[in-house]
PDB file of all heavy atoms in Angstrom:
ATOM      1  N   GLU A1230     -58.721   1.623  12.633  1.00 96.00           N
ATOM      2  CA  GLU A1230     -58.126   1.838  13.877  1.00 96.00           C
ATOM      3  C   GLU A1230     -57.784   0.500  14.610  1.00 96.00           C
ATOM      4  O   GLU A1230     -56.634   0.320  15.051  1.00 96.00           O
ATOM      5  CB  GLU A1230     -59.087   2.761  14.791  1.00 96.00           C
ATOM      6  CG  GLU A1230     -58.480   3.302  16.061  1.00 96.00           C
ATOM      7  CD  GLU A1230     -59.567   3.945  16.723  1.00 96.00           C
ATOM      8  OE1 GLU A1230     -60.360   4.837  16.109  1.00 96.00           O
ATOM      9  OE2 GLU A1230     -59.691   3.696  17.948  1.00 96.00           O
ATOM     10  N   ILE A1231     -58.769  -0.385  14.574  1.00 97.00           N
ATOM     11  CA  ILE A1231     -58.585  -1.645  15.246  1.00 97.00           C
ATOM     12  C   ILE A1231     -57.454  -2.471  14.543  1.00 97.00           C
ATOM     13  O   ILE A1231     -56.500  -2.957  15.257  1.00 97.00           O
ATOM     14  CB  ILE A1231     -59.893  -2.502  15.261  1.00 97.00           C
ATOM     15  CG1 ILE A1231     -60.910  -1.785  16.071  1.00 97.00           C
ATOM     16  CG2 ILE A1231     -59.638  -3.817  15.703  1.00 97.00           C
ATOM     17  CD1 ILE A1231     -62.305  -2.392  16.115  1.00 97.00           C
ATOM     18  N   GLN A1232     -57.503  -2.502  13.146  1.00 97.00           N
ATOM     19  CA  GLN A1232     -56.534  -3.273  12.469  1.00 97.00           C
ATOM     20  C   GLN A1232     -55.154  -2.859  12.662  1.00 97.00           C
ATOM     21  O   GLN A1232     -54.188  -3.662  12.816  1.00 97.00           O
ATOM     22  CB  GLN A1232     -56.827  -3.477  10.976  1.00 97.00           C
ATOM     23  CG  GLN A1232     -58.236  -3.971  10.698  1.00 97.00           C
ATOM     24  CD  GLN A1232     -58.520  -5.247  11.308  1.00 97.00           C
ATOM     25  OE1 GLN A1232     -59.309  -5.431  12.141  1.00 97.00           O
ATOM     26  NE2 GLN A1232     -57.638  -6.418  10.936  1.00 97.00           N
ATOM     27  N   SER A1233     -54.993  -1.511  12.726  1.00 97.00           N
ATOM     28  CA  SER A1233     -53.670  -0.891  12.935  1.00 97.00           C
ATOM     29  C   SER A1233     -53.120  -1.233  14.351  1.00 97.00           C
ATOM     30  O   SER A1233     -51.895  -1.499  14.521  1.00 97.00           O
ATOM     31  CB  SER A1233     -53.751   0.607  12.702  1.00 97.00           C
ATOM     32  OG  SER A1233     -53.009   1.258  13.521  1.00 97.00           O
ATOM     33  N   GLU A1234     -54.115  -1.188  15.318  1.00 97.00           N
ATOM     34  CA  GLU A1234     -53.605  -1.638  16.750  1.00 97.00           C
ATOM     35  C   GLU A1234     -53.219  -3.021  16.834  1.00 97.00           C
ATOM     36  O   GLU A1234     -52.240  -3.299  17.430  1.00 97.00           O
ATOM     37  CB  GLU A1234     -55.012  -1.166  17.616  1.00 97.00           C
ATOM     38  CG  GLU A1234     -54.531  -1.044  19.001  1.00 97.00           C
ATOM     39  CD  GLU A1234     -55.808  -0.787  19.783  1.00 97.00           C
ATOM     40  OE1 GLU A1234     -56.607   0.190  19.572  1.00 97.00           O
ATOM     41  OE2 GLU A1234     -56.030  -1.454  20.851  1.00 97.00           O
ATOM     42  N   LEU A1235     -54.003  -3.874  16.094  1.00 98.00           N
ATOM     43  CA  LEU A1235     -53.651  -5.252  16.245  1.00 98.00           C
ATOM     44  C   LEU A1235     -52.282  -5.504  15.490  1.00 98.00           C
ATOM     45  O   LEU A1235     -51.591  -6.357  15.983  1.00 98.00           O
ATOM     46  CB  LEU A1235     -54.757  -6.153  15.450  1.00 98.00           C
ATOM     47  CG  LEU A1235     -56.111  -6.025  16.149  1.00 98.00           C
ATOM     48  CD1 LEU A1235     -57.214  -6.830  15.314  1.00 98.00           C
ATOM     49  CD2 LEU A1235     -56.202  -6.576  17.563  1.00 98.00           C
ATOM     50  N   SER A1236     -52.063  -4.803  14.427  1.00 98.00           N
ATOM     51  CA  SER A1236     -50.861  -5.016  13.682  1.00 98.00           C
ATOM     52  C   SER A1236     -49.616  -4.512  14.452  1.00 98.00           C
ATOM     53  O   SER A1236     -48.550  -5.266  14.504  1.00 98.00           O
ATOM     54  CB  SER A1236     -50.866  -4.220  12.439  1.00 98.00           C
ATOM     55  OG  SER A1236     -52.113  -4.398  11.709  1.00 98.00           O
ATOM     56  N   HIS A1237     -49.820  -3.366  15.201  1.00 98.00           N
ATOM     57  CA  HIS A1237     -48.684  -2.946  16.031  1.00 98.00           C
ATOM     58  C   HIS A1237     -48.403  -4.052  17.081  1.00 98.00           C
ATOM     59  O   HIS A1237     -47.150  -4.240  17.281  1.00 98.00           O
ATOM     60  CB  HIS A1237     -49.150  -1.581  16.703  1.00 98.00           C
ATOM     61  CG  HIS A1237     -48.882  -0.495  15.823  1.00 98.00           C
ATOM     62  ND1 HIS A1237     -49.864   0.270  15.194  1.00 98.00           N
ATOM     63  CD2 HIS A1237     -47.716   0.155  15.424  1.00 98.00           C
ATOM     64  CE1 HIS A1237     -49.337   1.268  14.505  1.00 98.00           C
ATOM     65  NE2 HIS A1237     -47.968   1.279  14.769  1.00 98.00           N
ATOM     66  N   ARG A1238     -49.413  -4.504  17.648  1.00 98.00           N
ATOM     67  CA  ARG A1238     -49.228  -5.447  18.703  1.00 98.00           C
ATOM     68  C   ARG A1238     -48.553  -6.778  18.065  1.00 98.00           C
ATOM     69  O   ARG A1238     -47.606  -7.347  18.691  1.00 98.00           O
ATOM     70  CB  ARG A1238     -50.448  -5.946  19.294  1.00 98.00           C
ATOM     71  CG  ARG A1238     -50.426  -6.943  20.429  1.00 98.00           C
ATOM     72  CD  ARG A1238     -49.626  -6.502  21.666  1.00 98.00           C
ATOM     73  NE  ARG A1238     -49.859  -7.565  22.708  1.00 98.00           N
ATOM     74  CZ  ARG A1238     -48.758  -7.886  23.519  1.00 98.00           C
ATOM     75  NH1 ARG A1238     -47.587  -7.352  23.422  1.00 98.00           N
ATOM     76  NH2 ARG A1238     -49.064  -8.733  24.511  1.00 98.00           N
ATOM     77  N   ALA A1239     -48.888  -7.141  16.940  1.00 98.00           N
ATOM     78  CA  ALA A1239     -48.322  -8.381  16.386  1.00 98.00           C
ATOM     79  C   ALA A1239     -46.830  -8.098  15.975  1.00 98.00           C
ATOM     80  O   ALA A1239     -45.969  -8.984  16.304  1.00 98.00           O
ATOM     81  CB  ALA A1239     -49.079  -8.735  15.117  1.00 98.00           C
ATOM     82  N   LEU A1240     -46.604  -6.901  15.494  1.00 98.00           N
ATOM     83  CA  LEU A1240     -45.195  -6.573  15.191  1.00 98.00           C
ATOM     84  C   LEU A1240     -44.277  -6.543  16.468  1.00 98.00           C
ATOM     85  O   LEU A1240     -43.178  -7.107  16.466  1.00 98.00           O
ATOM     86  CB  LEU A1240     -45.078  -5.197  14.512  1.00 98.00           C
ATOM     87  CG  LEU A1240     -43.731  -4.713  14.128  1.00 98.00           C
ATOM     88  CD1 LEU A1240     -43.128  -5.663  13.177  1.00 98.00           C
ATOM     89  CD2 LEU A1240     -43.886  -3.203  13.400  1.00 98.00           C
ATOM     90  N   GLU A1241     -44.940  -6.122  17.571  1.00 98.00           N
ATOM     91  CA  GLU A1241     -44.200  -6.090  18.849  1.00 98.00           C
ATOM     92  C   GLU A1241     -43.990  -7.533  19.288  1.00 98.00           C
ATOM     93  O   GLU A1241     -42.777  -7.831  19.751  1.00 98.00           O
ATOM     94  CB  GLU A1241     -45.102  -5.362  19.850  1.00 98.00           C
ATOM     95  CG  GLU A1241     -44.567  -5.335  21.318  1.00 98.00           C
ATOM     96  CD  GLU A1241     -45.678  -4.581  22.170  1.00 98.00           C
ATOM     97  OE1 GLU A1241     -45.583  -3.376  22.256  1.00 98.00           O
ATOM     98  OE2 GLU A1241     -46.575  -5.231  22.705  1.00 98.00           O
ATOM     99  N   LEU A1242     -44.945  -8.470  19.131  1.00 98.00           N
ATOM    100  CA  LEU A1242     -44.794  -9.821  19.472  1.00 98.00           C
ATOM    101  C   LEU A1242     -43.768 -10.584  18.724  1.00 98.00           C
ATOM    102  O   LEU A1242     -43.193 -11.579  19.105  1.00 98.00           O
ATOM    103  CB  LEU A1242     -46.145 -10.558  19.441  1.00 98.00           C
ATOM    104  CG  LEU A1242     -47.186 -10.183  20.479  1.00 98.00           C
ATOM    105  CD1 LEU A1242     -48.481 -10.670  20.260  1.00 98.00           C
ATOM    106  CD2 LEU A1242     -46.674 -10.580  21.886  1.00 98.00           C
ATOM    107  N   LEU A1243     -43.382 -10.013  17.431  1.00 98.00           N
ATOM    108  CA  LEU A1243     -42.379 -10.625  16.618  1.00 98.00           C
ATOM    109  C   LEU A1243     -40.978 -10.460  17.239  1.00 98.00           C
ATOM    110  O   LEU A1243     -40.065 -11.192  16.936  1.00 98.00           O
ATOM    111  CB  LEU A1243     -42.373 -10.019  15.255  1.00 98.00           C
ATOM    112  CG  LEU A1243     -43.302 -10.429  14.237  1.00 98.00           C
ATOM    113  CD1 LEU A1243     -42.954  -9.859  12.940  1.00 98.00           C
ATOM    114  CD2 LEU A1243     -43.354 -11.895  14.047  1.00 98.00           C
TER     115      LEU A1243
END
Side-chain angles (χ1 to χ4, degrees):
Chain A
E1230 195 183 311
I1231 295 175
Q1232 298 313 108
S1233 141
E1234 204 178 304
L1235 300 175
S1236 315
H1237 275 106
R1238 177 65 169 142
L1240 182 57
E1241 177 181 272
L1242 289 168
L1243 281 188

